Each structure stands twice: as C-alpha cells, then as structure tokens.
Amino acid sequence: MVNVTSFKTARSEEIFTAAQKLMPGGVSSPVRAFKSVGGQPIVFDRVKGAYIWDVDGNQYIDYVGTWGPAICGHAHPEVIAALHEALEKGTSFGAPSFQENTLAEMVIEAVPSIEMVRFVNSGTEACMSVLRLMRAFTGRDKIIKFEGCYHGHADMFLVKAGSGVATLGLPDSPGVPKDTTSNTLTAPYNDLEAVKALFAENPDQISGVILEPVVGNAGFIPPDAGFLEGLRELTSENGALLVFDEVMTGFRIAYGGAQEKFGVTPDLTTLGKVIGGGLPVGAYGGRRDIMALVAPSGPMYQAGTLSGNPLAMTAGIKTLELLQKPGTYEYLDRITKRLIDGLLKAAQEEGHAVYGGQISGMFGMFFTGDPVHDYEDAKKSDLAKFSRFHRGMLERGVYLAPSQFEAGFTSLAHTDEDVDRTIQAAREVLSGL
Ligand code: HOZ
C-alpha cells in the first residue's frame, strides 16, 4: 500500500504525456483518462489478485477490476493456466470450436432467460445486436431506454446515456444522425408511470424496453421494489420485449445475474465482462423462438471474425467454474457489505452527507444525503468532493473508478484486511475534505 509521502507518478506522467500525442485524450476508452476527477491517470504495469502495480512501483487495492471482469481476482492462476494450454493450440480459429459449446451450455444453464446464445466481442456489440433482434422479432422500430443507463456506444443508445457520456457531461454525441435516435424513447429509471405513458403515446410501435436491471453506469442504483416486475407486466401487455443488459450484473450479483436475484425473467439478455474472464467478449441470448431469427438460422444478420474466440471462451469457462464453488456469492456479499458499510460510516462520522449500497460484489457511494433512485438523483452528488476523495484515495493506494457515475467492484481476492485498510484510508481522506 502506498504511503502518501512516497506516492510518485513521474513515469506515469511521462507515458501519459506521450500517449496524448498518439491517441485521442491519451486513452483507448474515455473514462480511464481521469478527466472528471482531475490529475493524470496512473499507468498500469501489472495486476494480480486484488492489486494493481503502476509503472512507478506504487501498489493499489483495486475496486475497478478492469470494470467488472476480474471477479475471481486479477490473473487468477487457474485462468492463466487454462489460457496457456489454449494458447498452444492457436489464438483464433474463425470456425466452430468445442469451447463455444461448453461456455454456451454454462450460460444457458445459469441464466434463466437464455435458451440460446450468440457470442460476440464486447458489451457494445451485444447490445447493438440485441436491438436489431428486438426490431426484427416485433416488426416495430421504437425502443425505451432509461436515463443514465449505458448500453455501449452504438448510435441508437447514445441518448441520455451513462458511463463516459455522463462522466464527461457530454450532450448526445455529434456524428449520431437525428434519424438514428428518433426511435429511442427515454424514461427516468425506477419510474413505471413514465414507461406506461410512453406505451400509451406510441401504441403498437415499441419493440421493447432495455435496461440495466441494477444500474452501474450512473453510479450504483438498484431497482425499487416492484420496478422490474412492473416492466415485465407492461412489456407483456403491450406485445413488447423486455431486455436485461446484464453486461455488468451477469454472473456478478448472482451466478444467474439480476434475473436470478430478483426473480424476473426478461425475453432477451446481454452479457459481457465476467463471461470473458478478462478477455474481450460479449453475448446475447434469450427465448429460442426469438434467437431462431439470428443468421444463419434466420434472416437477422450479425457476424464477427473473432466471435467465439477460443482464448476468450477458455478464460470465460474457467472463470465460471471458479464462481460455481460453494460460498462464492456469500463471500462477495459479505466483503462488499463490510466495505460499503465502513465507507458510509466513516463519511458520516467525518461530517459528510453520503448515500450508497451494494448487491453482492457491486457497490457505490454518492456524496449526497438524499436517496438515489435515478440519474437526476445521482447528479445531485457533490462531484468536486468526489474528485478530491478519489485523488486522496489514489495517493493512499486505493484505486477507485475515476468517475462518480460508475459502480465499484470487489472480487474473491479482496480480504478483510484489504477492506479495513481501504476504510482507514477513506477515513484519513474524508477527515480533510
Ligand atoms: N464503459 C466502461 C465502464 N462502464 C469503461 C470502460 C473503460 O474505460 O475501460
């Protein structure tokens, strides 16, 4: 753990300065540039278990977990060993492999809504494909999404989106034609009445409702009691599909995702992150009669050279095997509850208004005393205070997501001692904010 007086960043700064001349903003994805929290990002050298080491030799307890996939801890020895073995057989086939069957069987067995699955390469790809499928199946063009939910960066979803769009406070992106988003209707999260009104205003035109069943891209926001059930009823009544974007929550808040946790089964589901065990992967799946429309069994076209990549499948299979061990989700829940309870208590005792919570290994804390049920509530968080908190934690060897509008993640590698050290660091920072 970094002692605040020995926190050095010269090498990170040198690399990031060079990166800014080579790549827009110096990064391959916007949020990691630290723009909303200020200061320069640290440049990673290696990761292991619950820890990160940067190029200056600082060590951090990591609560980003490569944005979710590292649920077993970074570079788990069994995942690495399986990858070594798979690597010897080649890096890409572009043809069927037995590993796809294995992972498909595991996903179908685990996720209540999924009877058939298609593997792709990212969460963005999974969501843009599922949208085409929603429209192909229903013959309707409109969709409903929620403010602050993020479903990747495809044109149709860049309306009131979360994640980097929220982090950077961007208006809906230039380059997205108005016509492309004219069929994207939005409602506040947790607001069933707003959804009801949209269905009433657009009879027989809405193909479906897509949402993060637990929001992670506007900070951590759980569904209110009855919200998911209400959406299930409204979509069924209106001949529309219900789609859970479980890219973050899949295999994280329960083995079968949010749909297992809350007992609400959507028609279609998107996955990513954990099912790739740290390699690039995504998937969409659902009812057999809907998935039958996907080419080549049906006419809805979607394809990919690297889809079903044997290395990604191998890392995913091993990760899911590790997650099947008894006690996994109980451990994630216990350690994460200890973390968030400790952070909230420390903040309150140091005189800060905070609101937060967790489900299994997913958590969040806002700098507002009011409950957070939707994106408008999340925006009331004191973002300047969050930035100072983030920097103070970084200087004390704790790596938090560099945005108030991203959930945090724990792993099976995080120990009670890591959590206690994190709370101690938080107390120090909060006392000076
Ligand atoms: N969209 C990701 C989190 N919600 C951020 C990915 C990244 O910056 O690496």
Side-chain angles (χ1 to χ4, degrees):
M1 185 132 165
V2 185
N3 173 328
V4 71
T5 53
S6 64
F7 182 63
K8 303 264 186 314
T9 57
R11 182 80 184 118
S12 272
E13 281 170 33
E14 191 185 324
I15 293 172
F16 187 64
T17 301
Q20 286 171 290
K21 296 195 191 91
L22 303 169
M23 297 171 282
V27 288
S28 299
S29 187
V31 181
R32 59 182 81 163
F34 276 39
K35 274 208 152 181
S36 73
V37 289
Q40 293 211 331
I42 54 161
V43 175
F44 285 27
D45 180 44
R46 67 194 166 92
V47 290
K48 185 79 188 162
Y51 308 117
I52 296 163
W53 288 263
D54 71 14
V55 288
D56 289 281
N58 302 306
Q59 182 186 345
Y60 306 83
I61 303 171
D62 177 28
Y63 293 103
V64 179
T66 184
W67 302 95
I71 192 165
C72 299
H74 289 290
H76 191 286
E78 290 187 42
V79 176
I80 299 292
L83 279 172
H84 274 299
E85 202 181 310
L87 199 51
E88 292 298 326
K89 295 182 177 178
T91 56
S92 175
F93 298 162
S97 71
F98 75 88
Q99 292 95 333
E100 290 167 278
N101 286 18
T102 307
L103 189 58
E105 278 166 7
M106 294 174 94
V107 167
I108 290 166
E109 174 74 25
V111 184
S113 66
I114 299 188
E115 294 174 345
M116 288 189 104
V117 65
R118 163 63 57 88
F119 292 112
V120 291
N121 299 290
S122 68
T124 287
E125 220 184 299
C127 291
M128 60 189 265
S129 307
V130 94
L131 175 55
R132 186 175 301 150
L133 183 55
M134 289 161 73
R135 290 170 165 167
F137 184 76
T138 59
R140 302 173 180 179
D141 286 343
K142 294 186 178 171
I143 58 154
I144 297 176
K145 78 172 278 290
F146 293 93
E147 294 163 15
C149 279
Y150 179 73
H151 306 291
H153 60 81
D155 285 358
M156 310 71 72
F157 291 122
L158 287 185
V159 183
K160 297 185 181 166
S163 190
V165 184
T167 302
L168 300 174
L170 297 176
D172 297 337
S173 176
V176 176
K178 278 207 173 55
D179 286 354
T180 314
T181 53
S182 60
N183 287 313
T184 306
L185 312 174
T186 60
Y189 192 75
N190 274 325
D191 188 342
L192 278 179
E193 289 307 313
V195 177
K196 219 180 266 178
L198 287 174
F199 272 116
E201 287 157 21
N202 300 274
D204 301 327
Q205 293 171 63
I206 297 172
S207 63
V209 175
I210 184 167
L211 77 157
E212 296 177 73
V214 176
V215 182
N217 283 293
F220 171 80
I221 309 176
D224 288 347
F227 180 58
L228 300 178
E229 292 82 350
L231 291 178
R232 181 62 284 180
E233 274 173 34
L234 279 175
T235 45
S236 300
E237 278 167 22
N238 287 281
L241 299 172
L242 180 62
V243 184
F244 280 5
D245 175 351
E246 297 231 41
V247 170
M248 270 192 192
T249 52
F251 294 91
R252 173 159 284 279
I253 65 169
Y255 190 69
Q259 50 201 275
E260 177 196 311
K261 179 97 189 160
F262 293 100
V264 175
T265 306
D267 301 294
L268 292 166
T269 299
T270 57
L271 295 167
K273 299 192 188 279
V274 169
I275 60 157
L279 273 82
V281 88
Y284 62 100
R287 277 169 34 196
R288 187 175 290 274
D289 60 325
I290 307 176
M291 291 303 290
L293 282 187
V294 179
S297 78
M300 191 219 83
Y301 199 70
Q302 181 272 308
T305 297
L306 288 164
S307 297
N309 175 272
L311 297 181
M313 298 293 104
T314 298
I317 292 163
K318 186 49 76 180
T319 299
L320 298 198
E321 279 173 9
L322 291 166
L323 291 173
Q324 286 172 355
K325 291 187 179 161
T328 296
Y329 291 91
E330 290 77 4
Y331 183 81
L332 285 171
D333 198 54
R334 185 186 72 70
I335 203 92
T336 316
K337 183 162 174 25
R338 183 183 171 106
L339 173 71
I340 193 69
D341 286 353
L343 290 176
L344 292 170
K345 184 165 180 278
Q348 279 152 1
E349 286 174 1
E350 296 301 334
H352 302 284
V354 283
Y355 184 84
Q358 55 78 225
I359 301 177
S360 185
M362 183 172 175
F363 70 93
M365 179 174 92
F366 295 98
F367 282 100
T368 170
D370 297 330
V372 177
H373 295 284
D374 61 21
Y375 182 42
E376 284 305 310
D377 294 337
K379 285 197 284 190
K380 289 184 200 146
S381 184
D382 184 337
L383 301 183
K385 194 180 272 189
F386 173 79
S387 300
R388 297 197 298 277
F389 178 64
H390 183 273
R391 178 52 52 172
M393 293 299 273
L394 195 72
E395 289 172 359
R396 285 163 182 78
V398 179
Y399 189 77
L400 300 172
S403 165
Q404 176 70 93
F405 301 116
E406 297 282 355
F409 300 110
T410 52
S411 78
L412 295 171
H414 285 80
T415 63
D416 286 314
E417 199 202 335
D418 293 327
V419 167
D420 291 345
R421 282 161 57 189
T422 304
I423 295 165
Q424 177 54 33
R427 196 172 278 283
E428 269 177 50
V429 178
L430 289 159
S431 69
L433 283 188

